[in-house]
Amino acid sequence: MMKRRFVCRWVVLLLVSALVYVSCKEDDDKEIPYGKLPAVSQQFLETYFPNVSVGRIDKSSDEPRYRVTLNNGFGVRFFASGEWQEVDGNGSAIPYSMQLELLPLKLLNYAGENFPAAEIIVVSRQGAGYEIELNTVPETWIHIDAFDNITVNTAE
């Protein structure tokens, strides 16, 4: 009898713990209003997407911290600091003025020389480097690290 009561208490404790964990995880991604987005993120959006309205902003405790969906189909991800992490055109080309301001010139030159007909559809910062995705078939990713080393990967 005593052992059964002990086991029942443990089972109840485990179930309650699991429910608390699941409810906390659900709060991980929650929609927030534009005003709750860090000022540096707001400035980025106003600079590069001045006439585009925001469809949705999600905040999570993981990186990227903020995910912004724009009504033109673009998605922008921001670090907890508010600095940009990724701009995804979802198949559309990233505006050239944005490429020039956000990416190292060596990366842009390499892409232009080796893939002249391709458009950049995703730009991202990864660690101390940058990565772009091209609209080639198969898909091509070009990465440049902090030492200006370039690597190219293609989907197969």
Side-chain angles (χ1 to χ4, degrees), residues 29-84:
D29 267 0
K30 63 180 179 181
E31 188 171 1
I32 63 168
Y34 185 78
K36 295 285 185 179
L37 198 60
V40 67
S41 301
Q42 291 180 28
Q43 182 62 44
F44 182 92
L45 293 171
E46 291 163 10
T47 299
Y48 295 108
F49 301 98
N51 300 315
V52 180
S53 58
V54 172
R56 181 180 172 99
I57 302 171
D58 290 306
K59 179 183 178 185
S60 74
S61 58
D62 299 327
E63 290 294 348
R65 180 65 51 91
Y66 302 96
R67 293 182 182 105
V68 178
T69 304
L70 301 172
N71 286 333
N72 67 352
F74 276 65
V76 184
R77 296 176 183 223
F78 297 97
F79 292 110
S81 66
E83 295 291 326
W84 75 277

Side-chain angles (χ1 to χ4, degrees), residues 92-155:
S92 295
I94 304 298
Y96 189 66
S97 60
M98 184 184 298
Q99 294 175 30
L100 285 174
E101 292 182 27
L102 300 181
L103 298 170
L105 193 55
K106 183 173 180 178
L107 178 60
L108 292 174
N109 287 339
Y110 182 89
E113 291 169 7
N114 293 282
F115 301 92
E119 293 182 325
I120 297 173
I121 57 173
V122 178
V123 298
S124 64
R125 289 200 281 192
Q126 299 181 343
Y130 294 85
E131 187 171 82
I132 59 174
E133 181 181 339
L134 305 177
N135 66 343
T136 57
V137 177
E139 294 174 338
T140 302
W141 294 269
I142 305 172
H143 180 84
I144 188 167
D145 64 20
F147 304 104
D148 283 348
N149 298 314
I150 292 179
T151 55
V152 179
N153 294 307
T154 56

